[in-house]
Amino acid sequence: GAVVSQHPSWVICKSGTSVKIECRSLDFQATTMFWYRQFPKQSLMLMATSNEGSKATYEQGVEKDKFLINHASLTLSTLTVTSAHPEDSSFYICSAPVTGGEAFFGQGTRLTVV
Amino acid sequence: GESVGLHLPTLSVQEGDNSIINCAYSNSASDYFIWYKQESGKGPQFIIDIRSNMDKRQGQRVTVLLNKTVKHLSLQIAATQPGDSAVYFCAEMAGNTPLVFGKGTRLSVIA
């Protein structure tokens, strides 16, 4: 099946710094990718839709200037958490839909801001 | 807004028994549903899907049932094994919109 690779799998950063998370579709092209955030013992909440070659679409309540999304190619989307704070600590997961509607997920990135 | 929810947040099952995990959805326009399994610290793993033109689909040891009349989805796992212990999410999609996830049910298999 389709493979989505996410990197890094975990990262610890200092408050105020920025962190970049990469999401790659390894064996298919993804014009659209989705970024989710998951807090402990909660479900996945959609943050934004990443569109190749155009601006990302953010869900209500998600700060676009804080969570920068770049989808420069058909196989790579990046999420940059800028000026990270402890409350940004979470599990970030990307997904890419394939033909037929199914979505494949990356392994997730555990972000801890100290 | 529309949401997908689960009836049971936790489920404990004896090894070898069958498990049933339920999910209620509220978006009548949803036409595609997926069950995912998520182990601790990992991303969701696809288990089985079903489209709205079907009411039942079977996979290996798993069966998904869809009742559009009452907007209910269930996942049945036969002969539950310790490796099935995880959090299970149902997710729905309407057209090309992003997946909307339910709250999750933690399945705990007792050996």
Side-chain angles (χ1 to χ4, degrees):
Chain A
V3 177
V4 174
S5 178
Q6 190 173 338
H7 177 81
S9 57
W10 62 270
V11 57
I12 302 173
C13 71
K14 290 185 177 180
S15 185
T17 61
S18 296
V19 174
K20 180 185 286 188
I21 303 170
E22 294 185 347
C23 182
R24 295 180 184 274
S25 56
L26 297 185
D27 51 1
F28 66 102
Q29 293 182 331
T31 56
T32 301
M33 290 186 178
F34 303 112
W35 286 96
Y36 293 84
R37 179 168 52 185
Q38 184 179 30
F39 291 107
K41 299 183 179 179
Q42 294 188 25
S43 187
L44 287 76
M45 296 300 295
L46 181 68
M47 297 176 65
T49 301
S50 173
N51 304 300
E52 189 269 335
S54 63
K55 291 183 179 180
T57 305
Y58 290 82
E59 296 299 300
Q60 191 174 13
V62 178
E63 299 175 58
K64 59 181 66 177
D65 294 330
K66 182 169 184 61
F67 299 99
L68 300 179
I69 291 174
N70 183 280
H71 196 150
S73 77
L74 288 171
T75 59
L76 175 64
S77 175
T78 61
L79 168 68
T80 301
V81 183
T82 63
S83 186
H85 290 285
E87 57 265 31
D88 298 323
S89 298
S90 187
F91 194 55
Y92 293 85
I93 307 171
C94 67
S95 79
V98 296
T99 303
E102 185 177 348
F104 288 89
F105 287 81
Q107 305 94 317
T109 298
R110 170 83 53 199
L111 171 63
T112 302
V113 184
V114 297
Chain B
E2 301 282 14
S3 65
V4 178
L6 297 181
H7 293 301
L8 297 173
T10 60
L11 178 66
S12 295
V13 177
Q14 202 73 32
E15 181 180 0
D17 288 351
N18 297 333
S19 302
I20 299 177
I21 302 173
N22 296 302
C23 177
Y25 66 95
S26 56
N27 186 355
S28 57
S30 291
D31 54 8
Y32 183 55
F33 305 86
I34 307 176
W35 280 101
Y36 286 95
K37 173 185 180 182
Q38 186 179 30
E39 297 175 313
S40 182
K42 298 182 180 179
Q45 177 186 359
F46 174 90
I47 300 175
I48 192 168
D49 60 355
I50 189 168
R51 296 200 176 273
S52 58
N53 62 350
M54 303 173 68
D55 53 20
K56 180 179 180 179
R57 190 156 188 238
Q58 286 184 294
Q60 188 176 21
R61 281 203 308 121
V62 294
T63 301
V64 55
L65 299 177
L66 174 63
N67 186 330
K68 295 182 289 295
T69 302
V70 295
K71 298 190 185 72
H72 185 269
L73 193 68
S74 69
L75 175 70
Q76 299 179 2
I77 305 174
T80 312
Q81 303 169 358
D84 295 327
S85 294
V87 177
Y88 290 81
F89 293 97
C90 65
E92 62 170 332
M93 181 187 294
N96 292 321
T97 60
L99 284 169
V100 174
F101 284 81
K103 295 180 181 178
T105 293
R106 179 172 297 281
L107 176 64
S108 180
V109 181
I110 304 167

